[in-house]
Amino acid sequence: MANTPQARKRIRRNERRAEINGNRLSRIRTFVKKVETALAGGDKTAASEALKAAQPELARGVARGVLHKNTVARKMSRLSKRVAAL
Protein backbone atom coordinates (compact mmCIF):
# COMPACT_ATOMS: atom_id res chain seq x y z
CA MET A 1 0.00 0.00 0.00
CA ALA A 2 1.17 3.53 -0.77
CA ASN A 3 2.40 5.26 2.35
CA THR A 4 3.62 8.64 1.14
CA PRO A 5 1.37 11.42 -0.13
CA GLN A 6 3.32 11.42 -3.38
CA ALA A 7 2.67 7.70 -3.92
CA ARG A 8 -1.04 8.17 -3.22
CA LYS A 9 -1.18 10.99 -5.73
CA ARG A 10 0.62 8.86 -8.33
CA ILE A 11 -1.98 6.11 -7.87
CA ARG A 12 -4.81 8.59 -8.44
CA ARG A 13 -3.07 10.05 -11.47
CA ASN A 14 -2.27 6.64 -12.96
CA GLU A 15 -5.93 5.59 -12.73
CA ARG A 16 -7.03 8.72 -14.59
CA ARG A 17 -4.35 8.35 -17.25
CA ALA A 18 -5.12 4.66 -17.76
CA GLU A 19 -8.74 5.51 -18.52
CA ILE A 20 -7.79 8.29 -20.94
CA ASN A 21 -5.18 6.15 -22.70
CA GLY A 22 -7.62 3.25 -22.96
CA ASN A 23 -10.15 5.53 -24.64
CA ARG A 24 -7.51 6.76 -27.07
CA LEU A 25 -6.47 3.22 -27.95
CA SER A 26 -10.12 2.23 -28.48
CA ARG A 27 -10.64 5.20 -30.81
CA ILE A 28 -7.56 4.24 -32.83
CA ARG A 29 -8.72 0.62 -33.09
CA THR A 30 -12.10 1.83 -34.38
CA PHE A 31 -10.47 3.85 -37.17
CA VAL A 32 -8.27 0.89 -38.16
CA LYS A 33 -11.30 -1.41 -38.12
CA LYS A 34 -13.13 0.91 -40.54
CA VAL A 35 -10.24 0.52 -42.98
CA GLU A 36 -10.26 -3.26 -42.58
CA THR A 37 -14.02 -3.56 -43.14
CA ALA A 38 -13.74 -1.44 -46.30
CA LEU A 39 -10.90 -3.69 -47.46
CA ALA A 40 -12.96 -6.80 -46.75
CA GLY A 41 -15.83 -5.31 -48.75
CA GLY A 42 -13.51 -4.63 -51.67
CA ASP A 43 -14.40 -0.92 -51.83
CA LYS A 44 -11.21 0.91 -52.78
CA THR A 45 -12.57 4.46 -52.44
CA ALA A 46 -14.04 3.80 -49.00
CA ALA A 47 -10.84 2.05 -47.92
CA SER A 48 -8.64 4.93 -49.05
CA GLU A 49 -10.91 7.48 -47.33
CA ALA A 50 -10.88 5.43 -44.13
CA LEU A 51 -7.10 5.15 -44.36
CA LYS A 52 -6.78 8.94 -44.71
CA ALA A 53 -8.89 9.31 -41.57
CA ALA A 54 -6.91 6.66 -39.67
CA GLN A 55 -3.44 8.06 -40.43
CA PRO A 56 -3.67 11.17 -38.21
CA GLU A 57 -5.28 9.13 -35.41
CA LEU A 58 -2.39 6.67 -35.45
CA ALA A 59 0.13 9.54 -35.51
CA ARG A 60 -1.66 11.14 -32.57
CA GLY A 61 -1.36 7.87 -30.69
CA VAL A 62 2.40 8.03 -31.11
CA ALA A 63 2.54 11.68 -30.06
CA ARG A 64 0.53 10.95 -26.92
CA GLY A 65 2.65 7.94 -26.02
CA VAL A 66 -0.11 5.36 -26.38
CA LEU A 67 1.57 3.45 -29.21
CA HIS A 68 5.19 2.93 -30.21
CA LYS A 69 6.23 4.69 -33.41
CA ASN A 70 7.48 1.49 -35.05
CA THR A 71 4.17 -0.24 -34.31
CA VAL A 72 2.29 2.57 -36.04
CA ALA A 73 4.72 2.59 -38.95
CA ARG A 74 4.18 -1.15 -39.42
CA LYS A 75 0.38 -0.85 -39.24
CA MET A 76 0.33 2.08 -41.66
CA SER A 77 2.61 0.29 -44.10
CA ARG A 78 0.53 -2.87 -44.08
CA LEU A 79 -2.78 -1.03 -44.43
CA SER A 80 -1.45 1.17 -47.24
CA LYS A 81 -0.13 -1.87 -49.07
CA ARG A 82 -3.51 -3.63 -48.82
CA VAL A 83 -5.42 -0.55 -50.01
CA ALA A 84 -3.06 -0.12 -52.98
CA ALA A 85 -3.52 -3.79 -53.91
CA LEU A 86 -7.31 -3.40 -54.36
Side-chain angles (χ1 to χ4, degrees):
M1 190 65 208
N3 291 321
T4 64
Q6 179 185 11
R8 290 191 181 109
K9 184 176 179 180
R10 295 286 290 190
I11 289 169
R12 288 195 309 269
R13 192 214 54 162
N14 289 344
E15 287 173 357
R16 286 195 303 267
R17 297 309 305 170
E19 185 178 352
I20 291 167
N21 288 339
N23 290 341
R24 282 194 179 122
L25 205 52
S26 175
R27 181 178 164 89
I28 290 168
R29 278 197 213 102
T30 302
F31 275 87
V32 171
K33 193 171 280 189
K34 285 179 185 175
V35 178
E36 300 210 348
T37 53
L39 284 167
D43 189 359
K44 184 167 182 150
T45 57
S48 61
E49 289 297 319
L51 184 63
K52 282 181 186 173
Q55 282 176 337
E57 287 298 323
L58 286 161
R60 200 169 293 123
V62 172
R64 302 284 189 227
V66 178
L67 293 169
H68 194 272
K69 66 177 184 175
N70 290 353
T71 304
V72 170
R74 184 180 66 243
K75 286 181 185 291
M76 284 305 309
S77 174
R78 289 178 180 172
L79 286 173
S80 300
K81 187 176 175 181
R82 285 172 62 194
V83 169
L86 277 180

